[in-house]
Amino acid sequence: MNRLSYIGARLVKTVLITIAVVLLSFFLVRLAPGDTATVMAGQGGFADEAFMKSLRAEYGLDQPVLVQLWKYISAVAGGDLGNSFVRRQPVLDVILERLPNTLLLNAFALLVAVAGGVLMGMAAARRPGSTTDASMTVLSMIFYAMPQFWLGMMAMLVFSVWLGWLPPFGLETMGADYTGLARLGDIAVHMILPGVTLALYFMASYARLTRTAMIEVADQDFVKTARAKGIGEGQVARRHILRNALVPLITFAGLQSAILVGGSVLVENVFSWPGVGTLAYEAVTTRDNPLLLGIFIVTAVLVSLFNLVTDIAYSIADPRVEQGR
Amino acid sequence: MEPLIAIKDLIVSLPPGADRAHAVDGVSLSILPNEILCIVGESGSGKSLTAHAIMRLLPRGVSASSGEILFEGTDVLRLSPSAMRKLRGAGVAMIFQDPMAALNPVVTIGKQITEQIRAHRAISEKAALEQAAGLLAEMGLKDPKALLKSFPHQLSGGQRQRVMIAMALSLSPKLLIADEPTTALDVTTQAQILKLIKRIQTERQMSVLFITHDFGVVADMADRVAVMRHGRVVEEGGASDVLGDPKHSYTRALIAAVPRGESMLQPVAQDAPLLSVKDLAKNFRRGGFFSGASAVKAVDRVSLTLSRGETLGIVGESGSGKSTLARCVIRLLDPDAGEMLFDGADIAHMGERQLRPLRRRIQMVFQDPFSSLNPRQTVGEIVIAGPRAYGEDMKEARSRAADILRLVGLNPETMHRFPHEFSGGQRQRIGLARALMLKPDILIADEPVSALDVTVQAQVLKLLDDVRQQMNLAMLFITHDMRVAAQVCHRVMVMRHGQVVESGPTREVFAAPSSEYTRSLLAAIPGRGKLASV
């Protein structure tokens, strides 16, 4: 099967998955007791039956569920994710405004996790059972075991409050109005704490995975062949061992990019990062169902796309893999 | 003449806790320029570790603890790592048993050859690629330019081994170490590769250290022979001396164990066949969804009959469809077309519920004695599981298991042990006991001895034949090895590309093969006619 038709088939699957996500989440968010009207009435501090009724009528919540579903699906099919109850803006606009921030944070975290994890794993695999190996194992267990929100708060305490090296929260310095390179630099500095916090957990997995893969590959015949050819140890390690050990990492990176989108909810909130994660949190607490559903849909599409990219990357890294098999 | 390489009192130590202290125990050998020395021995003889010691490529924890290996007068065991690196590939090159595993799967063939050339010589990638193309052509490979851009998995086994040899020769080494280079190949491919190695050895006047377990291969290749056992050389001498007049009893036993490819068995009288297969077909589909699916005819209208007390050999190279055929007969695969009459009932398309009572009557012994036994079950559990599944009483199953284990030559007291505590040959006996516990009428043996050493192989073959006689079994014997087929089969059927090329009584097929393909299979048997009867 050639690559284009494979991508076509995968895109069809993406659409099917998205439809399933829409249906499932539409009913799931309605399982929770209460609705937007109760939350709004609660915020107002006072409400009578008539007011509640008018609120529900305004948002279409008084109609039968299936009617609501049908209206929603037809709108989504036309590219309209509806309006946010709370913000009174189109959901798509709200999400698209926040999405770049989340993608930026996740891309940075992915990069840090892969680079750090592979380096740790390589160091550990060089001599299994050595002190370096043992300390890498302990270090990655610590990263693995620490809850992200706690790690985030501690990092904030140490590096922002005590040492004052890094800004504690936000995307950029408020009121500074930097432009151009200065602004990019400002954002980069703000990204370090949340990005690294998000990355550490995954870095631990990469370290473990790289270590195992490298030790396993190092025992294979072609590594012996490489040595028998008289090429240097550095080239043996890079071209023959690492190159093969990286193949399973690609699968993991694909899975991780999907988990990152969900995992960033906590970290974004801890660091007040204006991304989709904080938005999702707001949508849950205010019962902003259209917004929440919109976030689910956008996330589902993203995850499917990440998986597609993973598969393509995998087939490039490992020529034995033919797509669709 | 000065030897090119002289090994003196080499001792290779195993890590503490191994079953013995030394894998190689005081070996002294030398190889003259322009000479092929074959080291022959069974697994665990230390032949391969001796070769690896020359390259200083011993596995982790294993080391050459004393002795010297003089290559042109210099002791390689005392070379610095960088001097050793310069010697590897340029002075001594090595090829391995499984060319698929020995080539890096994610790097192109071209890159793998040029990296060796460029590690030793300061030339451009382009020049190195040209040299590589020339080498591939010298190995008899067609379209070298395209090959350089391919990956190992896109090549056949024979092509891969030719690529390995081309790579090994790229710097014109003085010594080529070939560690069982044809063991993983089909017999016709093996014959070609052996011929190739012999040709380049003569042309380039190199020395070759050839490691093998197969005396047939020795007969084809060796100028001199060294026989190893338990880490020592038990006999050494000129090829014609050792092969024609072996002095050591172990050498004699090894040579005697090599099947000669001469049929000993008379066809049995054909009564009404127990199994009769007609026009059986099985296709495998490739691709799907968007692209057009293509079907591979793995078994293409095959017919056969099998009677009680008879062994039918199904012979073919890899990809011939012989294993697929076996799996269809035992209904691990569902055939696409055709019929299989077993004791009067057509089992080709029978539903699982009807089939179940018949399943116990057709049993199978598998090729790999290591992966075919569940490592977490004891021998007793493995052997008893079948009858228990058919509702046999525990006590009776136990007592029968003891009898069957005794029948296959195992001590019944070992029932509580786990498979890993047994040798390859013993495990194959366990696999046979498992099959026999179900009192089958038909026993399918799928390459049952190809993973075993030659002396063990001879024992297991004899056991299979004894059991067939005692239990009046009908046996379907799948093998790639004509020599083995000759030894145990009354009739043979030669398969190629899913079709039957030729079939008939073993004696007739071997004496007067009617098809070109069968002739080429027979001609490819290593050492044919060169081994003395001892």
Side-chain angles (χ1 to χ4, degrees):
Chain A
M1 196 191 280
N2 69 41
R3 192 163 285 169
L4 272 182
S5 61
Y6 174 72
I7 294 175
R10 285 298 301 261
L11 288 177
V12 172
K13 277 185 199 162
T14 303
V15 173
L16 293 177
I17 290 170
T18 312
I19 293 173
V21 168
V22 171
L23 286 176
L24 208 64
S25 24
F26 183 85
F27 288 108
L28 275 179
V29 294
R30 271 162 183 74
L31 284 181
D35 57 16
T36 315
T38 46
V39 174
M40 284 186 166
Q43 279 168 348
F46 168 79
D48 59 16
E49 273 303 307
F51 178 59
M52 295 285 282
K53 219 171 179 178
S54 71
L55 268 181
R56 292 201 168 106
E58 190 187 337
Y59 295 116
L61 294 171
D62 55 346
Q63 287 164 357
V65 175
L66 285 180
V67 175
Q68 292 184 37
L69 176 65
W70 174 246
K71 281 190 173 165
Y72 186 66
I73 288 190
S74 354
V76 170
D80 177 13
L81 295 182
N83 283 315
S84 157
F85 288 164
V86 179
R87 292 164 174 263
R88 299 180 182 267
Q89 277 175 290
V91 164
L92 196 61
D93 293 355
V94 177
I95 296 176
L96 287 185
E97 188 197 324
R98 296 290 197 93
L99 192 59
N101 297 342
T102 291
L103 291 181
L104 179 70
L105 181 66
N106 285 347
F108 174 67
L110 186 66
L111 198 75
V112 172
V114 172
V118 168
L119 286 178
M120 278 173 71
M122 281 175 73
R126 184 163 296 190
R127 239 174 284 133
S130 63
T131 326
T132 322
D133 183 20
S135 32
M136 288 297 159
T137 306
V138 171
L139 197 63
S140 52
M141 284 319 279
I142 292 174
F143 291 167
Y144 215 76
M146 268 194 295
Q148 278 186 335
F149 69 90
W150 185 83
L151 191 69
M153 288 193 292
M154 289 303 117
M156 206 191 280
L157 186 67
V158 174
F159 294 101
S160 305
V161 179
W162 291 352
L163 296 171
W165 290 351
L166 294 165
F169 52 77
L171 173 72
E172 47 195 326
T173 313
M174 280 205 230
D177 288 329
Y178 292 119
T179 52
L181 274 181
R183 180 161 181 242
L184 284 183
D186 187 41
I187 293 177
V189 172
H190 278 80
M191 198 162 59
I192 293 177
L193 277 186
V196 172
T197 305
L198 199 51
L200 281 183
Y201 173 83
F202 294 103
M203 192 190 288
S205 329
Y206 282 117
R208 306 290 297 155
L209 207 61
T210 308
R211 176 184 179 274
T212 317
M214 286 198 67
I215 291 174
E216 201 180 292
V217 173
D219 265 347
Q220 303 213 341
D221 276 2
F222 61 79
V223 176
K224 196 163 65 176
T225 307
R227 294 211 168 94
K229 290 199 275 195
I231 59 179
E233 273 305 306
Q235 203 172 340
V236 172
R238 278 192 311 276
R239 180 174 294 157
H240 295 279
I241 304 181
L242 187 60
R243 179 86 168 66
N244 277 280
L246 284 182
V247 174
L249 286 192
I250 292 174
T251 314
F252 191 74
L255 286 175
Q256 185 203 346
S257 55
I259 299 169
L260 265 174
V261 178
S264 61
V265 173
L266 273 178
V267 173
E268 283 188 12
N269 273 293
V270 170
F271 291 96
S272 308
W273 185 263
V276 179
T278 42
L279 195 64
Y281 182 72
E282 282 171 35
V284 170
T285 49
T286 58
R287 289 294 152 75
D288 195 344
N289 286 351
L291 182 56
L292 198 56
L293 279 176
I295 291 172
F296 286 163
I297 293 169
V298 170
T299 314
V301 171
L302 278 180
V303 169
S304 295
L305 289 180
F306 287 152
N307 279 337
L308 178 60
V309 172
T310 310
D311 282 1
I312 293 171
Y314 197 93
S315 74
I316 293 170
D318 189 342
R320 287 167 297 181
V321 177
E322 266 184 62
Q323 276 135 4
R325 286 262 200 103
Chain B
M1 208 179 338
E2 273 295 298
L4 176 72
I5 191 158
I7 302 172
K8 286 182 187 158
D9 302 319
L10 178 70
I11 290 180
V12 173
S13 311
L14 292 172
D19 56 346
R20 59 221 144 109
H22 305 310
V24 175
D25 197 3
V27 162
S28 297
L29 283 171
S30 59
I31 307 172
L32 297 174
N34 195 13
E35 175 186 61
I36 300 182
L37 172 72
C38 278
I39 301 185
V40 55
E42 297 188 290
S43 45
S45 63
K47 59 188 191 302
S48 193
L49 287 179
T50 305
H52 280 76
I54 298 173
M55 289 294 261
R56 294 237 312 252
L57 285 174
L58 291 168
R60 216 185 276 265
V62 181
S63 61
S65 50
S66 85
E68 0 182 76
I69 298 175
L70 300 173
F71 182 77
E72 296 186 309
T74 319
D75 188 355
V76 298
L77 295 179
R78 274 154 199 85
L79 283 179
S80 70
S82 75
M84 192 63 221
R85 190 182 69 72
K86 285 191 186 116
L87 179 67
R88 286 179 190 152
V92 187
M94 191 160 182
I95 57 175
F96 302 94
Q97 174 170 349
D98 182 355
M100 182 70 215
L103 289 165
N104 187 336
V106 302
V107 177
T108 59
I109 300 295
K111 190 82 213 161
Q112 296 195 51
I113 301 178
T114 58
E115 85 172 339
Q116 170 164 7
I117 299 172
R118 297 185 67 199
H120 297 270
R121 295 206 182 126
I123 63 170
S124 71
E125 180 72 17
K126 200 167 161 253
L129 274 173
E130 259 164 46
Q131 197 186 329
L135 281 163
L136 293 180
E138 192 189 336
M139 296 309 118
L141 287 165
K142 293 198 182 75
D143 202 358
K145 288 257 146 63
L147 272 182
L148 290 174
K149 292 190 191 112
S150 358
F151 290 95
H153 73 279
Q154 295 164 322
L155 277 54
S156 71
Q159 284 176 315
R160 284 182 210 128
Q161 198 58 294
R162 282 170 200 262
V163 166
M164 279 299 291
I165 297 171
M167 197 150 76
L169 296 180
S170 61
L171 297 160
S172 308
K174 291 184 176 143
L175 174 67
L176 174 70
I177 301 175
D179 187 2
E180 303 253 14
T182 58
T183 308
L185 303 175
D186 275 326
V187 60
T188 49
T189 316
Q190 159 168 300
Q192 290 161 10
I193 295 290
L194 291 179
K195 218 181 257 173
L196 173 69
I197 294 177
K198 191 105 190 176
R199 190 192 89 210
I200 51 169
Q201 185 269 330
T202 321
E203 282 172 11
R204 293 180 172 233
Q205 307 223 319
M206 304 186 297
S207 302
V208 174
L209 174 60
F210 197 103
I211 315 287
T212 181
H213 66 280
D214 187 337
F215 253 109
V217 172
V218 175
D220 280 345
M221 298 297 289
D223 295 321
R224 271 188 320 120
V225 185
V227 182
M228 279 187 75
R229 187 190 197 187
H230 303 325
R232 294 166 196 263
V233 175
V234 296
E235 180 162 1
E236 191 196 344
S240 50
D241 295 340
V242 174
L243 289 166
D245 182 20
K247 300 279 183 300
H248 197 280
S249 60
Y250 179 67
T251 312
R252 279 199 292 274
L254 270 187
I255 295 178
V258 179
R260 289 301 191 279
E262 288 149 15
S263 175
M264 335 261 189
L265 298 172
Q266 287 287 356
V268 291
Q270 294 261 356
D271 46 350
L274 183 63
L275 175 77
S276 153
V277 174
K278 217 178 255 163
D279 294 326
L280 195 79
K282 177 72 192 171
N283 299 334
F284 289 114
R285 252 159 285 278
R286 268 203 277 231
F289 214 88
F290 279 91
S291 68
S294 64
V296 179
K297 290 181 177 175
V299 175
D300 189 6
R301 282 165 292 141
V302 169
S303 302
L304 61 89
T305 60
L306 185 64
S307 307
R308 274 187 203 279
E310 175 190 49
T311 302
L312 171 65
I314 298 175
V315 189
E317 298 188 292
S318 49
S320 63
K322 57 190 192 302
S323 281
T324 307
L325 174 64
R327 270 152 217 271
C328 283
V329 170
I330 199 173
R331 281 292 304 273
L332 286 174
L333 288 173
D334 294 330
D336 292 329
E339 63 177 29
M340 294 193 298
L341 291 179
F342 172 59
D343 217 0
D346 186 0
I347 58 168
H349 308 286
M350 196 178 263
E352 187 60 39
R353 193 177 299 170
Q354 284 170 285
L355 190 61
R356 205 174 129 71
L358 297 176
R359 276 205 185 276
R360 68 176 297 165
R361 298 175 57 192
I362 308 179
Q363 288 299 314
M364 190 150 173
V365 178
F366 297 90
Q367 170 172 7
D368 186 349
F370 293 86
S371 65
S372 60
L373 299 176
N374 185 341
R376 307 219 182 281
Q377 283 189 328
T378 63
V379 173
E381 284 165 348
I382 289 169
V383 172
I384 287 168
R388 290 286 292 159
Y390 281 95
E392 190 170 315
D393 170 74
M394 189 67 173
K395 222 167 148 191
E396 199 196 322
R398 277 250 172 82
S399 83
R400 273 205 316 120
D403 294 341
I404 296 274
L405 285 175
R406 230 173 270 125
L407 174 72
V408 299
L410 290 171
N411 184 348
E413 315 235 310
T414 58
M415 241 193 267
H416 62 275
R417 294 217 220 143
F418 289 92
H420 71 264
E421 299 174 60
F422 295 86
S423 69
Q426 287 171 324
R427 283 184 224 209
Q428 211 53 313
R429 288 168 195 266
I430 297 170
L432 178 61
R434 185 206 60 76
L436 295 180
M437 275 299 281
L438 287 160
K439 303 181 194 158
D441 296 315
I442 297 178
L443 184 68
I444 300 178
D446 189 1
E447 301 268 12
V449 296
S450 57
L452 304 177
D453 274 326
V454 62
T455 48
V456 183
Q457 177 175 325
Q459 293 160 8
V460 172
L461 286 176
K462 176 154 191 326
L463 173 66
L464 278 171
D465 204 50
D466 289 348
V467 166
R468 173 191 60 79
Q469 283 181 27
Q470 272 189 40
M471 304 181 81
N472 199 23
L473 285 174
M475 188 150 79
L476 212 52
F477 192 96
I478 319 285
T479 181
H480 68 282
D481 192 333
M482 294 295 272
R483 295 177 291 182
V484 169
Q487 212 169 18
V488 291
C489 302
H490 301 98
R491 287 188 298 133
V492 288
M493 196 170 99
V494 181
M495 281 187 75
R496 188 188 197 189
H497 304 323
Q499 291 176 325
V500 178
V501 176
E502 175 164 10
S503 70
T506 311
R507 285 195 158 186
E508 287 172 25
V509 171
F510 273 68
S514 65
S515 87
E516 190 54 46
Y517 181 64
T518 313
R519 272 196 287 278
S520 71
L521 282 182
L522 288 170
I525 294 177
R528 206 168 185 227
K530 290 185 195 162
L531 292 180
S533 39
V534 271

